[in-house]
């Protein structure tokens, strides 16, 4: 394709053409650019953004094919309190979401989008989540006036011509509209990161009639990593795990097992789409093609495979720029540079007392570059799950690992998922934020209906073939605020126990809260874990659990009549067992 042809690809899909037409009339861009996803197109857009100051090209020797972006300080994270679910009634979105009236919201948005792309290029981004030939692949068409969005979407999704080919003349797609909200007047000079700076004019809006797809179609869209854990004998087990943000999904997804002979390979670090296959088992796919991870804290020590993944062809957002044209962030394992440019573009030295990288600074890196990417990560059928793990930061009460008695008990454990704020004083209990299934920011309908959807898989699938469910906690602390468990690669010891439980081999003891490993159940060979610590990690703190049960009861009460009876029953049974 010659350079002059970039931006001109088209689809015969009448609905897509009509929608793009309608949005063009609304947003009034100067130009329309249809993205084909090619290398050439990507290079052209990166060059364009280097010219406009949006991107800085990093040192080609140290960080080939990579760029740094510095956003406007008001544009650093997904804003939960500006996320609105526009269902017909408040009841449909439940107590954990912001509701807005769909008609009113459409009016507001039509006002904001009206002429919002004046003076700019409107990019039409055809993208697919999931391998194009997967039974649960979803096609979307995103319209955006941000070339930064285009180059990120190219890493994170299957994007471009192949998607339009798959869509064909009458395929269905999910329409997505984004604008930076910074139209240019004729002759007005652009800035490096144009955006609407007023937080009250930022909106993330879902219209669930059009977007609660998984529930309607009978599958699950989850906030989970997927990994394959292989025994020294070559037996593979696929595991999916849901942890709230900043609780170690990317770390576990790419972990390096410390147990000799065991191997972990990564299929995804953030999203799992799970469906019942013909054989009655649950199969998971990772619908993404990249990793969008938090940079600070990511080091060769904490996550060597992530460091190798973003060695090239990656985009870094809001990290620091070093004098030799590489990136740096806090706890990167690299010594702080004597001088750098911080995420706000200011000169920075270690003694300024400011953070050089924004705490939510990110890398966007192609999954194919992960040294431990699993050979089946793009398998359209997905991989059969042996176990599902839930977890969170729980400094007290919650043991290292706990096996659910059955599916309903597992759903109960998932619904009680949560994480404690780390700011809490040493040894003292922090503020616990319940984050059921780690889906609090992502469940676009009533969470109680979501619980019911999870419960329904005992009927949809073959109950005897459902994955076993576990609750893990790498973050238990002792009285002095010290981690009781070494974590990271040592978590392989817990994964080994889980895989052996699935095979019916490992020993467990039934307790009031679930099945826990017996003291000799975990393989702790070569680990100098004090016996007293192990005891704390695997004991049932009855008083603590009674408080936990009270807290879960208060949380369940939020959902009123909508709460599935099975979850209320699980809580009653837990209380009974605790005595
Ligand atoms: P994600 O947002 O869920 O993907 O979380 P990350 O994988 O980025 O990890 C978030 C933070 O948790 C990082 O600072 C990690 O160093 C830390 N972390 C991850 N795994 C462990 C673990 O096993 N033990 C401890 N103590 N910290 C961990
Ligand atoms: Mn992550």
């Amino acid at each position: 394709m010659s350079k002059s042809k970039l931006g001109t690809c088209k689809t015969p899909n009448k609905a897509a053409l009509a929608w793009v037409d309608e949005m063009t009339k609304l947003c009034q861009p100067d130009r329309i650019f249809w993205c084909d996803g090619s290398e050439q197109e990507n290079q052209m857009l990166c060059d364009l953004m280097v010219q406009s100051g949006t991107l800085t090209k990093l040192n080609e020797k140290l960080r080939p094919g990579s760029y740094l972006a510095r956003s406007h300080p008001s544009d650093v994270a997904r804003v939960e309190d500006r996320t609105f679910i526009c269902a017909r009634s408040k009841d449909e979105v439940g107590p954990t979401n912001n509701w807005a009236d769909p008609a009113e919201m459409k009016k507001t948005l039509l006002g904001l989008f009206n002429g919002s792309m004046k003076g700019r290029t409107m990019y039409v981004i055809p993208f697919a989540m999931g391998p194009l030939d997967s039974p649960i692949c979803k096609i979307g068409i995103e319209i955006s006036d941000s070339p930064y969005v285009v180059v990120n979407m190219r890493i994170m999704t299957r994007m471009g011509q192949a998607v339009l080919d798959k869509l064909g003349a009458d395929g269905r797609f999910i329409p997505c509209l984004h604008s930076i909200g910074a139209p240019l007047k004729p002759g007005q000079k652009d800035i490096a990161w144009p955006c609407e700076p007023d937080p009250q004019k930022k909106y993330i809006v879902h219209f669930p009639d059009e977007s609660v797809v998984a529930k309607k179609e009978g599958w699950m869209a989850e906030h989970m990593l997927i990994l394959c854990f292989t025994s020294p004998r070559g037996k593979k087990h696929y595991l999916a795990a849901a942890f709230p943000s900043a609780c170690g999904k990317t770390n576990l997804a790419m972990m390096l097992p410390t147990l000799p002979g065991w191997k972990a390979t990564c299929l995804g670090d953030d999203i799992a789409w799970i469906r019942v296959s013909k054989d009655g088992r649950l199969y998971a796919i990772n619908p993404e093609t990249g990793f969008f991870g938090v940079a600070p804290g990511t080091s060769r020590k904490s996550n060597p495979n992530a460091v190798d993944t973003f060695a090239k062809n990656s985009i870094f957002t809001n990290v620091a720029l070093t004098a030799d044209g590489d990136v740096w962030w806090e706890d990167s394992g690299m010594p702080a540079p004597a001088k750098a440019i911080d995420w706000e573009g200011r000169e920075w030295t270690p003694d300024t007392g400011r953070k050089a990288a924004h705490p939510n600074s990110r890398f966007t890196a192609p999954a194919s570059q992960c040294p431990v990417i699993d050979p089946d990560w793009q398998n359209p059928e997905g991989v059969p799950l042996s176990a599902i793990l839930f977890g969170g930061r729980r400094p007290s009460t919650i043991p290292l690992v706990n096996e659910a008695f059955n599916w309903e008990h597992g759903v109960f454990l998932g619904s009680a998922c949560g994480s404690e704020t780390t700011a809490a004083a040493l040894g003292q209990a922090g503020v616990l934020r319940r984050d059921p299934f780690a889906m609090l920011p992502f469940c676009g309908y009533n969470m109680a209906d979501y619980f019911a959807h999870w419960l329904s898989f005992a009927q949809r699938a073959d109950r005897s073939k459902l994955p076993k469910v576990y609750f893990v906690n790498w973050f238990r602390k002792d009285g002095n605020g010290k981690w009781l468990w070494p974590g990271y690669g040592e978590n392989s010891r817990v994964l080994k126990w889980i895989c052996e439980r699935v095979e019916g081999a490992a020993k467990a003891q039934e307790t009031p809260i679930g099945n826990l490993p017996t003291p000799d159940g975990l393989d702790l060979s070569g680990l100098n874990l004090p016996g007293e610590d192990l005891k704390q990690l695997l004991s049932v703190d009855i008083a603590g659990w009674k408080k936990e049960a009270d807290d879960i009861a208060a949380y369940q009460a939020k959902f009123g009549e909508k709460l599935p009876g099975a979850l209320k029953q699980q809580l009653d049974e837990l209380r009974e067992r605790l005595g």
Side-chain angles (χ1 to χ4, degrees):
M1 197 186 284
S2 78
K3 202 159 193 158
S4 60
K5 290 266 180 65
L6 285 182
T8 59
C9 70
K10 278 277 162 62
T11 165
N13 191 291
K14 287 213 174 65
L17 291 169
W19 185 63
V20 170
D21 224 38
E22 195 188 335
M23 293 307 111
T24 307
K25 289 196 179 101
L26 174 65
C27 304
Q28 302 160 41
D30 279 15
R31 294 163 296 275
I32 305 175
F33 187 108
W34 286 74
C35 300
D36 66 11
S38 66
E39 179 57 47
Q40 195 191 9
E41 170 183 283
N42 187 58
Q43 196 55 57
M44 187 276 281
L45 292 173
C46 289
D47 291 347
L48 193 82
M49 283 188 279
V50 169
Q51 273 168 36
S52 69
T54 307
L55 295 184
T56 303
K57 168 113 183 75
L58 296 173
N59 185 321
E60 186 60 25
K61 285 219 179 71
L62 300 174
R63 200 66 70 174
S66 300
Y67 297 87
L68 166 69
R70 277 185 218 107
S71 79
H72 187 273
S74 73
D75 227 15
V76 294
R78 181 171 49 76
V79 262
E80 273 173 40
D81 62 324
R82 301 298 302 161
T83 303
F84 300 92
I85 313 291
C86 301
R88 272 157 305 190
S89 73
K90 216 172 163 147
D91 195 47
E92 275 174 60
V93 312
T96 61
N97 284 308
N98 297 324
W99 176 79
D101 179 80
E104 263 174 50
M105 182 58 84
K106 283 211 166 139
K107 226 171 93 190
T108 305
L109 293 182
L110 284 174
L112 288 167
F113 278 115
N114 189 8
S116 72
M117 297 186 187
K118 274 186 185 163
R120 300 198 177 275
T121 302
M122 180 174 110
Y123 297 94
V124 182
I125 313 166
F127 69 98
M129 303 275 295
L132 282 165
D133 42 359
S134 166
I136 48 177
C137 171
K138 293 289 162 206
I139 289 178
I141 298 181
E142 172 162 16
I143 288 175
S144 172
D145 51 359
S146 163
Y148 170 84
V149 166
V150 179
V151 295
N152 275 276
M153 287 292 280
R154 183 165 181 269
I155 296 176
M156 294 306 295
T157 72
R158 292 153 180 92
M159 188 265 264
Q161 187 59 52
V163 178
L164 290 181
D165 293 347
K166 173 82 187 180
L167 183 66
D170 35 43
R172 286 172 57 95
F173 64 93
I174 297 163
C176 316
L177 177 61
H178 165 253
S179 175
I180 57 176
L184 284 171
K185 292 192 190 75
Q188 185 184 340
K189 198 172 166 309
D190 206 359
I191 54 171
W193 190 275
C195 72
E196 167 60 68
D198 181 354
Q200 294 306 306
K201 286 193 184 160
K202 292 184 197 281
Y203 286 90
I204 303 170
V205 182
H206 300 277
F207 293 93
D209 278 349
E210 289 140 49
S211 65
V212 182
V213 180
K215 178 159 172 283
K216 275 186 198 154
E217 296 179 358
W219 49 281
M220 304 197 243
E222 301 303 322
H223 186 200
M224 289 178 175
L225 66 93
I226 311 168
L227 69 81
C228 178
F229 203 54
T230 308
S231 77
R233 288 179 290 116
K235 172 87 184 139
K236 287 173 187 238
H237 283 290
Y238 298 96
L239 316 175
F243 307 155
S245 291
C247 293
K249 277 189 306 302
T250 303
N251 262 274
L252 189 66
M254 300 181 192
M255 69 122 71
L256 272 174
T258 50
L259 278 178
W262 290 79
K263 206 173 88 182
T265 43
C266 173
L267 290 101
D269 82 328
D270 205 46
I271 307 182
W273 284 359
I274 304 170
R275 74 194 167 93
V276 183
S277 189
K278 282 187 215 76
D279 63 4
R281 297 185 70 181
L282 298 190
Y283 280 66
I285 63 163
N286 167 18
E288 299 186 297
T289 55
F291 303 117
F292 184 58
V294 173
T298 309
S299 68
R300 191 152 289 286
K301 188 151 174 269
S302 75
N303 195 340
N305 287 322
V307 171
D308 287 338
T309 304
F310 55 63
K312 57 184 180 188
N313 306 321
S314 297
I315 300 166
F316 298 86
T317 305
N318 292 337
V319 301
L321 178 67
T322 63
D324 55 1
D326 202 0
V327 286
W328 186 85
W329 50 78
E330 280 71 22
D331 300 315
S332 62
M334 308 295 278
K339 240 176 62 182
I341 306 293
D342 73 8
W343 71 276
E344 293 185 90
R346 297 179 297 180
E347 293 218 347
W348 181 92
T349 58
D351 51 22
T352 54
R354 301 191 311 261
K355 290 218 149 91
H358 188 276
N360 193 40
S361 55
R362 298 275 170 161
F363 56 82
T364 318
S368 59
Q369 292 181 184
C370 178
V372 294
I373 198 73
D374 188 88
D376 273 314
W377 82 279
Q378 304 215 67
N379 185 334
E381 296 300 316
V383 291
L385 294 179
S386 292
I388 290 175
L389 281 57
F390 297 108
R393 287 177 185 266
R394 298 299 306 267
S396 64
T397 315
I398 312 297
L400 178 64
V401 55
N402 179 17
E403 180 187 79
F405 296 126
N406 52 41
W407 184 252
E408 287 73 14
H409 185 220
V411 174
F412 172 71
L413 293 183
S415 75
C417 201
S419 203
E420 244 173 65
T421 51
T422 43
L426 287 187
Q428 272 182 313
V431 180
L432 177 62
R433 183 201 197 219
R434 294 268 169 213
D435 187 352
F437 297 82
M439 284 291 282
L440 196 55
F442 306 114
C443 179
Y445 57 98
N446 195 312
M447 190 65 88
D449 293 331
Y450 170 89
F451 296 159
H453 185 52
W454 261 82
L455 289 163
S456 76
F457 281 80
Q459 284 80 49
R460 291 173 196 272
D462 180 337
R463 186 185 260 281
S464 68
K465 293 180 186 166
L466 281 169
K468 275 179 169 290
V469 181
Y470 296 83
F471 201 99
V472 297
N473 180 21
W474 318 140
F475 299 95
R476 189 74 181 265
K477 288 184 174 175
D478 69 10
N480 302 314
K482 222 182 84 264
W483 304 122
L484 282 170
W485 178 249
Y488 302 97
E490 305 295 1
N491 295 333
S492 56
R493 299 171 190 278
V494 174
L495 299 191
K496 177 184 174 186
W497 182 76
I498 289 172
C499 292
E500 290 177 349
R501 285 294 294 166
V502 168
E503 291 173 11
K507 280 190 273 180
Q509 50 185 331
E510 197 178 318
T511 78
I513 61 166
N515 298 321
L516 303 193
T518 53
D520 60 343
L522 285 180
D523 181 347
L524 299 175
S525 52
L527 186 69
N528 278 322
L529 190 73
E532 187 47 41
D533 290 4
L534 180 67
K535 217 174 126 196
Q536 274 198 61
L537 284 164
L538 297 181
S539 66
V540 181
D541 164 7
I542 296 285
W545 271 94
K546 283 185 173 167
K547 271 202 236 146
E548 176 76 7
D550 291 346
D551 194 78
I552 294 172
Y555 191 72
Q556 284 193 348
K558 284 190 184 202
F559 301 99
E561 290 293 292
K562 277 230 166 200
L563 184 84
L567 294 186
K568 170 87 180 49
Q569 189 186 335
Q570 284 294 327
L571 177 64
D572 290 344
E573 286 172 11
L574 169 67
R575 283 175 146 165
E576 216 167 282
R577 291 192 303 264
L578 289 170

